[in-house]
Amino acid sequence: MPSLEDELFPSTPGKFKIERSNTMNRQFHRCFTSTSTMFLWALFLVALTASYLSFQSFVDSGSRYFSASWGGIQWEKHVRSSAQIHRSGGMSVLVTGAAGFVGTHVSLALKKRGDGVVGLDNFNNYYDPSLKKARKALLNNHGIFVIEGDINDAKLLAKLFDAVAFTHVMHLAAQAGVRYAMQNPHSYVHSNIAGLVTLLEACKSANPQPSIVWASSSSVYGLNENVPFSEADRTDQPASLYAATKKAGEEIAHTYNHIYGLSITGLRFFTVYGPWGRPDMAYFSFTRNILQGKPITVYRGKNHVDLARDFTYIDDIVKGCLGSLDTSGKSTGSGGKKRGPAPYRIFNLGNTSPVTVPKLVNILERHLKVKAKKNVIEMPGNGDVPFTHANISSAQKEFGYRPTTDLQTGLKKFVRWYLSYYGYNRGKRVN
């Protein structure tokens, strides 16, 4: 709002004094009358200016209301239309991080089965935002409205919950990546901790309260050496700041469940890969560099032990996300007050079949029909762990989670998408 920054006497004795006094009275009267007139004009000008500024403010506010990235009559229509349920017993889901890798796939799967879906994403530049914009276009083509906004924006979240009584929240927005935390640690606290708290605050105050499913990470197992990793294992030795923020998120979620009766399910994802994936992931960057004839860096653990990951195909992760939503139970609070106990759950979502990184490279070489130029070096102390391996028995028991895609099959589907998306024909890029 622009702010406003904000002009009379001697005497002598005797006869002349009376005459002069009369003269001075007349002069004073004229001066006073003139000053009063000027004062009135000044008041008039001030009032006119204030009226103009108030009108301009009204116009500006109205303009913002109709043209802002969120808010306004048309915006609310889009939100409500996108959230509309088209199946019996369906749900209305707010998906945060909807233009992200997992968020896009989960949103499409929910919409396909008739659920209402509204997306939220801040389109940050951690990796190429054009890929996120392309995912958004894909979602738009399927009738999913994606709002550009941040989960730390409490007013935006309040507006969304005011517009739609969401039954569920699928919280996938986060600052991802283990190594990037060494470059930009504050972004992890901003998104993974502050953002989570802002979202949970909105959910606890909503009426009715939604059930929440959110993405934790297999990284919380940190330096754990029990194999396979089980939800009952210790998670108090994180190896990276990313892992520490996800572990903190689990504790924060438990607090909101305990105090406010929010139904909360945390999902520990194990190395998700597939079409529309993240460019910072090894399988993605390996593919790019192999096709461009550039060397790839392959890390080894201590004593020349190959690193291994429990690579999990995106379709299997989506099945786990939907299964978690379907069995999440109800939140029990109302207006920020708990009425009774609500479910609090944590599940591993993995493939249960770890594969070494060299084997991953070999599979990519076969699908790309190009030999990789490899630089094999010892793993630096950057927060990575030597292996991951998921015990998925809890998810199997609770909602029938069973991964069906092996790495050979999953990478074949990824490579097919990659070549098509980036314009390659028989291994050569078409300009």
Side-chain angles (χ1 to χ4, degrees), residues 65 68-86 91-95 111 115-121 136 140 142-149 155-168:
Y65 182 73
S69 59
W70 63 269
I73 297 171
Q74 290 302 317
W75 180 87
E76 289 191 19
K77 285 183 178 179
H78 286 309
V79 169
R80 292 193 178 102
S81 175
S82 189
Q84 193 170 355
I85 300 169
H86 296 283
M91 56 185 70
S92 180
V93 188
L94 173 63
V95 180
K111 197 71 175 181
D115 293 317
V117 183
V118 176
L120 176 64
D121 203 291
K136 178 183 178 181
N140 287 341
H142 287 80
I144 300 171
F145 185 51
V146 181
I147 299 151
E148 185 164 353
K155 290 183 179 179
L156 169 56
L157 293 177
K159 187 71 175 177
L160 280 168
F161 281 103
D162 183 56
V164 176
F166 292 106
T167 61
H168 295 75

Side-chain angles (χ1 to χ4, degrees), residues 46-363:
V46 168
L48 188 65
T49 303
S51 297
Y52 170 76
L53 289 171
S54 296
F55 175 75
Q56 190 64 41
S57 174
F58 172 78
V59 171
D60 291 344
S61 298
S63 176
R64 283 194 298 271
Y65 182 73
F66 286 103
S67 64
S69 59
W70 63 269
I73 297 171
Q74 290 302 317
W75 180 87
E76 289 191 19
K77 285 183 178 179
H78 286 309
V79 169
R80 292 193 178 102
S81 175
S82 189
Q84 193 170 355
I85 300 169
H86 296 283
R87 71 180 177 98
S88 177
M91 56 185 70
S92 180
V93 188
L94 173 63
V95 180
T96 70
F101 172 31
V102 179
T104 296
H105 285 273
V106 170
S107 297
L108 289 171
L110 287 168
K111 197 71 175 181
K112 183 178 180 180
R113 72 178 195 175
D115 293 317
V117 183
V118 176
L120 176 64
D121 203 291
N122 69 357
F123 295 89
N124 69 20
N125 61 357
Y126 168 59
Y127 58 82
D128 185 6
S130 68
L131 180 57
K132 299 177 184 180
K133 295 291 185 181
R135 296 190 192 119
K136 178 183 178 181
L138 177 65
L139 295 175
N140 287 341
N141 289 340
H142 287 80
I144 300 171
F145 185 51
V146 181
I147 299 151
E148 185 164 353
D150 197 285
I151 55 172
N152 280 286
D153 189 340
K155 290 183 179 179
L156 169 56
L157 293 177
K159 187 71 175 177
L160 280 168
F161 281 103
D162 183 56
V164 176
F166 292 106
T167 61
H168 295 75
V169 171
M170 186 76 218
H171 177 44
L172 298 168
Q175 176 58 63
V178 169
R179 300 168 196 167
Y180 183 63
M182 298 179 71
Q183 302 175 39
N184 189 4
H186 297 291
S187 66
Y188 289 80
V189 176
H190 176 79
S191 295
N192 301 355
I193 296 179
L196 175 62
V197 170
T198 305
L199 179 65
L200 292 175
E201 280 290 304
C203 291
K204 70 126 194 220
S205 300
N207 194 7
Q209 290 179 338
S211 299
I212 303 162
V213 177
W214 73 287
S216 182
S217 170
S218 62
S219 295
V220 300
Y221 290 108
L223 304 178
N224 173 55
E225 295 183 350
N226 295 333
V227 179
F229 299 165
S230 168
E231 293 90 343
D233 290 342
R234 290 178 58 181
T235 53
D236 58 353
Q237 295 178 300
S240 66
L241 179 61
Y242 169 69
T245 61
K246 285 299 186 178
K247 175 59 179 176
E250 291 185 354
E251 303 304 323
I252 291 167
H254 183 273
T255 302
Y256 274 80
N257 164 265
H258 174 68
I259 297 176
Y260 302 110
L262 287 170
S263 168
I264 303 180
T265 302
L267 302 178
R268 294 172 177 171
F269 295 157
F270 281 71
T271 317
V272 190
Y273 73 100
W276 295 99
R278 279 175 27 212
D280 63 311
M281 298 290 284
Y283 73 94
F284 201 115
S285 62
F286 286 174
T287 299
R288 179 177 61 244
N289 288 348
I290 290 171
L291 287 170
Q292 293 177 359
K294 297 178 180 179
I296 63 173
T297 299
V298 178
Y299 292 127
R300 262 190 190 152
K302 293 179 181 179
N303 301 319
H304 302 288
V305 175
D306 291 330
L307 303 187
R309 293 288 181 270
D310 199 346
F311 295 102
T312 313
Y313 189 62
I314 183 61
D315 288 357
D316 292 325
I317 290 293
V318 169
K319 286 186 288 187
C321 290
L322 268 58
S324 298
L325 287 167
D326 291 339
T327 60
S328 60
K330 293 185 179 296
S331 293
T332 62
S334 177
K337 294 182 179 180
K338 181 179 179 180
R339 306 296 182 191
Y344 177 79
R345 312 177 301 170
I346 292 179
F347 298 111
N348 289 336
L349 293 186
N351 193 56
T352 74
S353 301
V355 176
T356 65
V357 174
K359 184 173 181 180
L360 165 75
V361 174
N362 290 338
I363 295 172

